[in-house]
Amino acid sequence: MLRVGLSGGIGSGKSTVADRLRELGALVVDSDLLAREVVAPGSEGLAAVVERFGPQVLSADGSLDRAALGAIVFADGAGRRDLERITHPRIAARAGELVAAAPPEAVVVHDVPLLVEKRMGAGYHLVLIVDADESTRIARLTTLRGLTEADAKARIATQATDEQRRAAADVLLPNDGTVEQVRAAVDGLWRERLVPFNDNLVHGRRSRGPEVPALVGPDASWPAQAARLVERIALALGERAVAVDHIGSTSVPGLLAKDVIDLQVSVRRLEDADDAEFVEALQRMGFPRVEGLDHDEPKPDEPDIALWRKRFHGSADPGRVAHVHVREVGSPGWRYALLFRDWLRADAGAREDYARVKRELAGSAATTTDYAGSKEPWFTQVWPRAEAWARHTAWDG
């Protein structure tokens, strides 16, 4: 199932987005609602809160006085952390129960206020951040929730910054306008990305870019996009992967490229990549195995094709085409991917040469497959230049 982490600063309008996703058919797991559930009257969570903060956080009817508790924890960092230690494990456990009970074809949206602060993004296929200017958020908090401006600013200050949330976002949904505008944006996201992504996951399909080669960029956001994918793959594979690296043209600052993120997963033995648990771990995280792409083009110094074996996975996300090359540490293909990237990063002349070749070949190739194949003679030609640079700089990967 597709798992979407939904977050946004207080007053951003995250609840409006969650409500619309629920109307469209998503299973929304609301951490705010679960936070109330785990401290309901008679619960272990409420007893733990009262033990830590005292009976003054209880209302006359024995329920939690959230305003009284909020006044304490928002003014006291240690108190806030203690409250989180009480509630967060209980909220996580309850959320896990709800997700486990969902049908496998469901789109699950986990509404998590502190997703960025707790660095939880890698556990989701997508992170959706609802974004609004601080002035807009303050106006909403004072008008709709009755907070003073000082209280609104104080609560905003305890959360992640706008920059941190934007860096964590696979999808940034602006919400400084009307309710109708943001609901329309959610509808488009659901139709164009979430439903197709989920369908690809259910059927084990990867997404693909245009059939005709199209060069774009350079795009300054490519490294951040790759970093989020690297975190997801590293979390999914754990110790099965030696390393996960951003490679290819999008990893070289200033270089135009197809809008495709290339990643390399390093394994101790290529046979490890054929283990069912390895394949399933990547597929669950949204990177199904693609059969038939099992080797790189050999270079003259290493002509044995057996040395260039690899495995290949592709992203199921229609909004972010990504290729995952799994190679054995120390193999020629593994070494060349890292060397070529680092050489291009260091050598402006090499970058210019490669950009020129890219433009020429993209203009004449009928398909992306033709384009990729037509670059191979140039890769072979520049192999000695890259190797000379490696010797001169003592590059060792």
Side-chain angles (χ1 to χ4, degrees), residues 35-57:
R36 294 176 181 274
E37 180 181 322
V38 300
V39 292
S43 66
E44 292 181 359
L46 180 59
V49 170
V50 173
E51 181 180 356
R52 166 62 180 83
F53 295 100
Q56 66 268 27
V57 299

Side-chain angles (χ1 to χ4, degrees), residues 335-336 338-340 342-344 346-347 382-397:
R335 183 178 184 278
Y336 191 73
L338 298 175
L339 171 56
F340 190 65
D342 293 349
W343 173 54
L344 289 178
D347 190 323
V382 299
W383 172 278
R385 288 173 59 188
E387 289 289 359
W389 174 84
R391 290 191 298 271
H392 178 73
T393 60
W395 180 90
D396 62 359

Side-chain angles (χ1 to χ4, degrees), residues 230-262:
V230 165
E231 284 192 19
R232 290 185 176 114
I233 291 172
L235 178 64
L237 293 179
E239 295 183 356
R240 299 184 188 94
V242 175
V244 186
D245 294 287
H246 184 197
I247 60 169
S249 294
T250 59
S251 71
V252 180
L255 183 62
L256 79 172
K258 292 185 300 177
D259 189 16
V260 176
I261 301 294
D262 281 282

Side-chain angles (χ1 to χ4, degrees), residues 2-7 14 16-18 20-22 24-26 107-109 125-131 169-174 180-199 316-320:
L2 181 66
R3 300 185 307 279
V4 179
L6 169 65
S7 195
K14 178 169 56 66
T16 301
V17 172
R20 183 55 182 160
L21 286 167
R22 187 182 291 108
L24 290 168
V107 174
V108 176
V109 176
H125 295 105
L126 279 179
V127 170
L128 168 58
I129 298 293
V130 185
D131 187 49
D170 298 292
V171 180
L172 192 69
L173 195 67
E180 291 73 19
Q181 287 172 326
V182 76
R183 285 170 63 89
V186 173
D187 290 356
L189 174 65
W190 177 263
R191 180 179 60 254
E192 297 165 14
R193 190 163 186 179
L194 300 188
V195 170
F197 194 169
N198 191 53
D199 192 50
D317 179 6
R320 168 35 59 213

Side-chain angles (χ1 to χ4, degrees), residues 18-259:
D19 288 344
R20 183 55 182 160
L21 286 167
R22 187 182 291 108
E23 291 170 2
L24 290 168
L27 169 64
V28 177
V29 179
D30 188 330
S31 290
D32 281 339
L33 293 179
L34 297 185
R36 294 176 181 274
E37 180 181 322
V38 300
V39 292
S43 66
E44 292 181 359
L46 180 59
V49 170
V50 173
E51 181 180 356
R52 166 62 180 83
F53 295 100
Q56 66 268 27
V57 299
L58 285 178
S59 300
D61 62 1
S63 63
L64 180 65
D65 185 335
R66 302 183 70 84
L69 179 61
I72 295 172
V73 299
F74 281 108
D76 176 15
R80 185 170 64 254
R81 289 189 291 274
D82 287 344
L83 178 62
E84 291 171 356
R85 278 192 286 269
I86 293 169
T87 59
H88 285 185
R90 292 175 169 86
I91 294 169
R94 181 61 180 138
E97 292 173 0
L98 294 174
V99 172
E105 70 277 6
V107 174
V108 176
V109 176
H110 194 181
D111 183 343
V112 189
L114 298 180
L115 183 149
V116 176
E117 291 84 346
K118 299 301 180 182
R119 297 185 59 84
M120 298 168 62
Y124 299 96
H125 295 105
L126 279 179
V127 170
L128 168 58
I129 298 293
V130 185
D131 187 49
D133 288 342
E134 183 171 318
S135 60
T136 301
R137 294 160 58 199
I138 291 172
R140 289 172 179 162
L141 293 172
T142 55
T143 303
L144 302 177
R145 300 197 192 182
L147 297 181
T148 66
E149 183 173 337
D151 285 342
K153 289 182 176 179
R155 296 199 179 195
I156 288 172
T158 67
Q159 297 185 333
T161 65
D162 290 344
E163 291 72 21
Q164 288 170 328
R165 275 190 290 269
R166 289 165 186 164
D170 298 292
V171 180
L172 192 69
L173 195 67
N175 188 24
D176 288 298
T178 66
V179 171
E180 291 73 19
Q181 287 172 326
V182 76
R183 285 170 63 89
V186 173
D187 290 356
L189 174 65
W190 177 263
R191 180 179 60 254
E192 297 165 14
R193 190 163 186 179
L194 300 188
V195 170
F197 194 169
N198 191 53
D199 192 50
N200 284 344
L201 278 175
V202 170
H203 294 96
R205 293 191 301 254
R206 65 161 169 151
S207 61
R208 307 189 68 150
E211 283 298 316
V212 177
L215 300 179
V216 299
D219 186 335
S221 73
W222 280 333
Q225 294 183 54
R228 292 192 293 271
L229 299 182
V230 165
E231 284 192 19
R232 290 185 176 114
I233 291 172
L235 178 64
L237 293 179
E239 295 183 356
R240 299 184 188 94
V242 175
V244 186
D245 294 287
H246 184 197
I247 60 169
S249 294
T250 59
S251 71
V252 180
L255 183 62
L256 79 172
K258 292 185 300 177
D259 189 16

